[in-house]
Amino acid sequence: MTNGNGSAEADRTLKAKHRAMWAQGDYPSLAAEVISELGPVLVEACGVRSGQRVLDVGAGTGNAAIPAALAGAEVVASDLTPELFEAGRRVAEERGARLTWQEADAEALPFGDAEFDTVLSCVGVMFAPHHQRAADELVRVCRPGGTIGLLSWTPQGFIGRMFATLKPYAPPPPPGAQPPPLWGDEDHARALLGDRVTDVRAERRTVRVDRFATPEMFRDYFKERYGPTITVYKNIAGDPDRVAALDRDLVALARDADLGTGQGGTVMDWEYLLLTARRAG
């Protein structure tokens, strides 16, 4: 996966930072309160059914893995940040879902070739820094004729725009790391998977987010709970002017996205790409 000891050490350091980023804040509450419906959407699109062996890559708290298990599949929920599993296990127990939780790097999955009938990822694998490595692993562990399903935030959608808003305040990305929302660009995702898949279906959809009374509440919620946002604020913590500027920019982002439905509160549609494909061979 890497060349030489220095490169290997740099990769370990990068992955440790990623793990720490997602372990901070409270991503489990965000996944449950804001985007819980996305997992079932992906599971349905992949046609998950009883008797299948399913791998969820970047599973987090199991937004897709738990619905897949409830559909009767034998599910492995894998993630680089096992700190997220505790909340996932609680939800699985409450809902009567049985599945396996396993720490795993999306760029070096600890599974055999062609081991799974369905390999899916719900806003998870998109955060692996090296997109081609991660895509190669998704294909490798899926059996020929099996399904690969991905749900990713788009660059032009709200979360893609949020990452663009954060970028000027963030530390420079490591060499070779690619922006997560690129996975939500259909051409990019197709290129990553290449001719190793067939029957590609891609559709841009939105999820309605209406839990924030004001744009300020959205900003504060993400400052407290979302690892990437917390990391950026830590980067500029010593500069009150930049903190204030980012505060304003995130409020402006949410205000611009508000649909103004007249229902009260801030109502937004966050765009994502839903892509499914069949492993060739």
Side-chain angles (χ1 to χ4, degrees), residues 105-131:
D105 179 355
E107 298 179 6
L109 293 170
F111 307 109
D113 295 354
E115 189 170 331
F116 296 92
D117 300 300
T118 299
V119 179
L120 52 79
S121 186
C122 182
V123 295
V125 74
M126 64 180 291
F127 291 100
H130 307 105
H131 294 188

Side-chain angles (χ1 to χ4, degrees), residues 21-245:
M21 177 178 72
W22 290 105
Q24 64 189 340
D26 188 2
Y27 185 75
S29 68
L30 188 155
E33 296 167 1
V34 182
I35 58 171
S36 61
E37 67 187 77
L38 295 184
V41 166
L42 179 59
V43 170
E44 181 180 1
C46 290
V48 173
R49 60 187 183 275
S50 180
Q52 288 187 332
R53 185 154 165 78
V54 174
L55 175 65
D56 186 358
V57 179
T61 56
N63 265 13
I66 292 171
L70 291 172
E74 179 186 346
V75 179
V76 177
S78 68
D79 201 283
L80 185 67
T81 306
E83 289 86 347
L84 300 173
F85 292 165
E86 182 180 350
R89 288 189 180 101
R90 285 198 302 269
V91 174
E93 185 174 355
E94 290 167 4
R95 298 181 63 186
R98 300 185 64 177
L99 61 159
T100 300
W101 302 85
Q102 184 165 345
E103 180 179 349
D105 179 355
E107 298 179 6
L109 293 170
F111 307 109
D113 295 354
E115 189 170 331
F116 296 92
D117 300 300
T118 299
V119 179
L120 52 79
S121 186
C122 182
V123 295
V125 74
M126 64 180 291
F127 291 100
H130 307 105
H131 294 188
Q132 192 62 63
R133 285 189 206 169
D136 292 348
E137 286 293 272
L138 296 176
V139 174
R140 181 184 66 79
V141 300
C142 185
R143 67 166 175 81
T147 299
I148 296 172
L150 304 169
L151 192 154
S152 311
W153 301 120
T154 65
Q156 64 271 33
F158 181 82
I159 297 296
R161 291 171 60 203
M162 187 184 78
F163 274 94
T165 299
L166 294 172
K167 184 177 179 180
Y169 302 94
Q178 294 174 282
L182 272 180
W183 275 94
D185 177 272
E186 181 181 345
D187 290 341
H188 181 73
R190 282 177 175 269
L192 291 173
L193 298 171
D195 60 6
R196 298 171 298 177
V197 299
T198 62
D199 303 322
V200 178
R201 296 183 180 181
E203 179 185 359
R204 291 201 319 213
R205 298 186 184 180
T206 59
V207 57
R208 175 65 54 91
V209 176
D210 58 5
R211 68 162 285 113
F212 304 113
T214 66
E216 288 81 6
M217 284 187 65
F218 154 77
R219 176 200 63 203
D220 294 344
Y221 187 94
F222 269 67
K223 281 179 72 170
E224 294 170 2
R225 289 169 173 79
Y226 194 57
T229 313
I230 295 169
T231 297
V232 172
Y233 271 100
K234 283 183 177 179
N235 184 58
I236 59 173
D239 189 335
D241 290 340
R242 295 190 78 200
V243 170

